[in-house]
Amino acid sequence: MTYPFDYIARIKATKKLAREKNVPVWLIPFANSVGLILLTAVYLGVYTLVVLVDMEKNMDYVPAWWKMLVVHADWIPLIYFAVISLTMLDKVLITIIIIQSAITKSIFKIIQKTDHKIWRKTGKDSYIANKIWWLQQKWVGLDKRIRVMIIIQFLIAFISWRYFF
């Protein structure tokens, strides 16, 4: 009966790992790992249904329990999701945290190298970093309603672009 407590402790340990790896918001890798597990479960469920249908086509005799299995086969993705989440969520979360940490570190290095090149050519110190900071301060300074409107407009434009192209 200690598995639920061990499971929660392992998930909390990933929160500590995220702080050590300088991942600022732990919920982002958590949501990414749950989404990845959900996507995997859906794909596994679809392929399992395809296998079940193919097996049924090749059967000469269809047993009575088979019909019950096919009727309840809609729950297969949920079963896959539960099993994968309860066994591997902490490992997937650790992997996502390490990947996000590496990506963040490489982006910071690129910004730093570009800032250094700009400094050598123009003498302006931390040009890109200061522009990013300025843009971030402008965004935070906007009214919350205006920020929500901008995000909604961006999403509408993105969905329209994806739909038409």
Side-chain angles (χ1 to χ4, degrees):
M1 196 65 197
T2 63
Y3 183 77
F5 297 114
D6 292 342
Y7 181 74
I8 292 171
R10 289 192 316 237
I11 298 300
K12 286 183 180 178
T14 60
K15 203 173 195 179
K16 181 182 174 190
L17 175 71
R19 276 194 305 270
E20 291 171 0
K21 293 282 187 180
N22 293 326
V23 175
V25 182
W26 173 77
L27 288 175
I28 292 172
F30 180 76
N32 287 337
S33 8
V34 169
L36 187 64
I37 290 173
L38 181 65
L39 186 64
T40 303
V42 167
Y43 276 120
L44 285 173
V46 167
Y47 288 129
T48 303
L49 289 174
V50 168
V51 167
L52 289 175
V53 169
D54 286 344
M55 285 175 62
E56 187 175 7
K57 285 181 184 176
N58 294 330
M59 287 182 176
D60 293 333
Y61 167 72
V62 179
W65 59 267
W66 184 265
K67 292 180 182 177
M68 289 295 289
L69 176 71
V70 172
V71 167
H72 296 296
D74 294 340
W75 293 96
I76 289 175
L78 185 62
I79 294 168
Y80 279 137
F81 178 73
V83 168
I84 294 171
S85 292
L86 291 175
T87 57
M88 295 182 57
L89 179 62
D90 59 329
K91 290 160 186 56
V92 174
L93 187 54
I94 288 170
T95 306
I96 297 293
I97 287 171
I98 291 171
I99 290 170
Q100 184 173 348
S101 172
I103 290 171
T104 304
K105 197 177 289 186
S106 65
I107 288 173
F108 284 152
K109 284 183 182 179
I110 289 170
I111 290 172
Q112 186 178 16
K113 285 182 181 181
T114 309
D115 271 343
H116 186 67
K117 285 182 182 181
I118 292 173
W119 174 75
R120 282 191 302 188
K121 287 186 177 185
T122 64
K124 294 181 179 179
D125 192 30
S126 300
Y127 183 75
I128 293 178
N130 287 337
K131 289 297 180 184
I132 292 171
W133 178 254
W134 176 81
L135 187 64
Q136 186 178 12
Q137 292 301 317
K138 284 285 190 185
W139 178 256
V140 171
L142 288 175
D143 187 34
K144 186 176 181 180
R145 194 177 118 257
I146 294 173
R147 280 188 285 181
V148 169
M149 295 288 283
I150 291 171
I151 291 171
I152 290 172
Q153 289 173 356
F154 175 75
L155 287 174
I156 290 171
F158 179 74
I159 291 169
S160 301
W161 175 74
R162 289 293 294 170
Y163 178 73
F164 290 115
F165 297 110

